Amino acid sequence: MAEILSVASEAYPLVKTGGLADVVGALPAALAPHGHRVTTMLPGYPAVLRALGRPRAVRRWDDLMGVPARLLRGEMAGHPLLVLDAPDLFARDGGPYADADGAEWPDNWRRFAAFSRAAADAALGTVGSDRFDLLHAHDWQAAMAATYLRYADGAVPPGGIRPRSVVTVHNIAFQGAYAAELFPDLGLPDAAWGIDGVEYWGGVGFLKGGLESADAITTVSPTYAEEVLDPEFGMGLDGLMRARRDRLTGIVNGIDPAVWSPAADPALPARYTARTLSRRTRNKRAVEGAFGLDAGQGPLFCVVSRLTWQKGMDVLARVTDDLVAGGGRLALLGSGDADLEAAFRAAAERSPGRIGVRIGYDEGLSHLLQGGADAILIPSRFEPCGLTQLYGLSYGCVPVVARTGGLADTVVDANAAALAAGCATGIVLDRVTDDALVRGLRRAAALYARPDAWAAIQRAGMRGDWSWVESGRRYADLYAGLLAA
Ligand code: ADP
């Protein structure tokens, strides 16, 4: 049995702002059948500390990048958990990365450098008696753990083996890029400053430093693993990704059936399976009630998303009148850019009873939408994996997606051939433009008007295996290869 330390800035159910949390929360159970024990490590945000109950301190630092800190041991859904309790860094109201007004914490570099440093210490066994075989760091907030591990020469006992490291990129747009001036404060040797270290376009790059240091790099779908080699998607890191291509794999995310399963979802007024799809009508009525929508003949589209350019939400905001003119309705749950929030509020005012908007974050409502709406709109400009289309597929909420990243890997377009073969699961847009989205909405409405065809699409999605079984095996294979090396 290998001991894995999975390090991330969020994990469902303790702290979540997006798909990263769902994945990190699901990994321990996904890897247990393969003989790996996954310990998750999180920052000690107030919500995480509250959930810990009576934790045990396993290590103290008098000066972890300038602040005192403790490492606490607890549990998350029955799996081992380590929490970095550093009140100067994490005991704050607001979100994990920003204050209540959405302004990023100015000391994020220190918060996540300290977190990464502590994770490397933990992996090396300088914490209590535990030692880990492999450190798996997620995204820029944890990526530097691989860097600290790489430069931790004194901490590896003579003849000892340095733990292996994996860095997973859940979204390459978030990089943790900072000014060069803070390099001396990171506590890294001078050797770490350089083109194969943390130096990144003249500054310091946290994700970059982690990617240079990791024994293996993964991203969250095969198509995205190809896309990040390209300047259009690599966002400055495509050269590095090309240079380290032999270390890079794409493993698509699964979904946790304990959380996302329409037959057993406590958030749904009516639970159902592919054989009892008509029960969804009750959920649809609940969606209409929650969003103030009138009944209608056409499809009820939904959105559960960050409202950002990445997600193509500006495109959707421009075509809501077309959506309504085509007989559709829209229930939108999301938050993000202020101008997009305002645009969707205005759309709801223009089309009362046809468009309902809830600005905010609501886990229960996100389940209700998947279980009650007819289709979910995901016109992302790039999408490393995407989880909402997987939830849609398994809930019979037909995904209308852009052909990019994990969306391209998981949704089969309802073209004539796929419909005839019975394998169509959604609608795939060739491009993310106003015209392409309007065409996709029209195709959805036309298919929805053919109840048998629509039900076949729903059922094909629900038949798919979106669980972690296959992806868990692929991570296990990756770990096994690294540990054997
Ligand atoms: P990303 O991580 O890029 O935001 P994903 O599709 O990978 O996108 O994951 C988004 C996750 O966050 C999903 O679990 C989705 O249901 C959830 N989510 C996004 N916005 C909201 C919201 N406003 N309310 C509730 N859940 C949300």
Side-chain angles (χ1 to χ4, degrees):
M1 135 127 57
E3 296 283 348
I4 313 293
L5 182 63
S6 171
V7 188
S9 56
E10 44 186 283
Y12 183 85
L14 299 183
V15 49
K16 169 169 169 178
T17 72
L20 169 66
D22 290 358
V23 175
V24 174
L27 275 181
L31 284 157
H34 302 280
H36 297 301
R37 186 161 69 167
V38 177
T39 298
T40 306
M41 179 165 166
L42 290 173
Y45 312 117
V48 174
L49 292 177
R50 275 197 300 278
L52 268 185
R54 287 164 51 89
R56 196 157 61 82
V58 291
R59 151 123 203 201
R60 283 167 209 282
W61 291 262
D62 294 329
D63 178 1
L64 178 67
M65 301 211 158
V67 304
R70 300 186 303 163
L71 195 68
L72 308 178
R73 187 198 301 283
E75 275 198 358
M76 181 175 71
H79 298 280
L81 177 70
L82 290 173
V83 174
L84 182 66
D85 178 27
D88 298 300
L89 303 179
F90 301 118
R92 310 175 179 182
D93 296 334
Y97 319 117
D99 65 20
D101 296 326
E104 290 213 355
W105 301 113
D107 60 346
N108 270 348
W109 69 271
R110 186 189 301 279
R111 301 171 79 222
F112 293 108
F115 177 61
S116 299
R117 172 76 213 229
D121 285 0
L124 283 160
T126 53
V127 172
S129 57
D130 286 343
R131 192 178 177 289
F132 291 89
D133 301 303
L134 188 145
L135 179 150
H136 187 165
H138 303 269
D139 274 355
W140 75 266
Q141 297 92 341
M144 286 278 279
T147 313
Y148 286 111
L149 208 52
R150 171 177 167 197
Y151 292 104
D153 283 328
V156 181
I161 300 174
R162 194 196 309 274
R164 305 290 180 225
S165 61
V166 176
V167 170
T168 293
V169 180
H170 295 261
N171 191 334
I172 211 164
F174 304 122
Q175 304 190 338
Y178 296 104
E181 285 69 49
L182 60 80
F183 178 74
D185 290 328
L186 295 177
L188 285 164
D190 290 344
W193 179 260
I195 185 79
D196 67 343
V198 300
E199 189 274 333
Y200 185 48
W201 302 114
V204 169
F206 279 31
L207 181 60
K208 193 275 186 171
L211 294 173
E212 287 288 1
S213 304
D215 295 312
I217 300 170
T218 74
T219 185
V220 285
S221 69
T223 293
Y224 194 60
E226 288 290 319
E227 288 173 343
V228 293
L229 305 175
D230 193 291
E232 189 191 336
F233 290 95
M235 303 194 159
L237 287 165
D238 45 288
L240 183 163
M241 288 298 202
R242 287 193 298 278
R244 305 211 74 206
R245 188 177 193 162
D246 57 331
R247 308 280 180 140
L248 171 67
T249 23
I251 303 177
V252 77
N253 292 327
I255 67 181
D256 186 344
V259 185
W260 291 97
S261 168
D265 191 329
L268 301 182
R271 297 175 200 139
Y272 59 93
T273 65
R275 280 200 296 280
T276 54
L277 277 174
S278 60
R279 292 171 59 84
R280 293 183 96 256
T281 307
R282 230 180 106 198
N283 301 333
K284 190 184 222 177
R285 294 289 101 84
V287 171
E288 289 165 353
F291 285 82
L293 298 174
D294 302 334
Q297 294 299 310
L300 172 53
F301 296 102
C302 77
V303 167
V304 180
S305 183
R306 293 186 284 120
L307 303 180
T308 63
W309 181 88
Q310 178 204 331
K311 300 287 182 181
M313 286 295 126
D314 53 320
V315 180
L316 176 61
R318 284 194 298 270
V319 305
T320 50
D321 292 344
D322 302 78
L323 183 154
V324 170
R329 290 168 296 152
L330 174 67
L332 177 140
L333 168 64
S335 61
D337 297 351
D339 52 343
L340 290 174
E341 291 182 356
F344 284 114
R345 280 203 178 97
E349 275 167 29
R350 278 199 307 278
S351 301
R354 312 293 297 173
I355 297 183
V357 168
R358 190 76 73 88
I359 300 298
Y361 194 93
D362 187 328
E363 194 75 22
L365 202 51
S366 74
H367 285 244
L368 180 64
L369 286 166
Q370 298 278 12
D374 297 305
I376 182 162
L377 303 177
I378 316 172
S380 303
R381 289 194 169 82
F382 64 97
E383 193 60 77
C385 178
L387 289 173
T388 55
Q389 87 279 14
L390 300 182
Y391 303 145
L393 289 164
S394 57
Y395 274 61
C397 183
V398 175
V400 178
V401 307
R403 192 187 307 282
T404 186
L407 300 172
D409 287 336
T410 55
V411 180
V412 180
D413 181 59
N415 56 40
L419 279 173
C423 63
T425 60
I427 287 167
V428 182
L429 316 174
D430 286 324
R431 282 172 300 127
V432 180
T433 60
D434 299 15
D435 287 350
L437 181 53
V438 169
R439 271 199 305 280
L441 294 170
R442 282 200 201 121
R443 286 180 65 206
L447 283 165
Y448 183 75
R450 297 163 51 197
D452 290 346
W454 189 260
I457 295 172
Q458 289 177 294
R459 290 205 186 91
M462 294 178 81
R463 262 199 317 271
D465 178 7
W466 311 111
S467 75
W468 272 101
V469 173
E470 175 59 19
S471 300
R473 193 185 59 70
R474 297 205 53 203
Y475 276 113
D477 287 351
L478 175 77
Y479 292 170
L482 292 171
L483 293 171

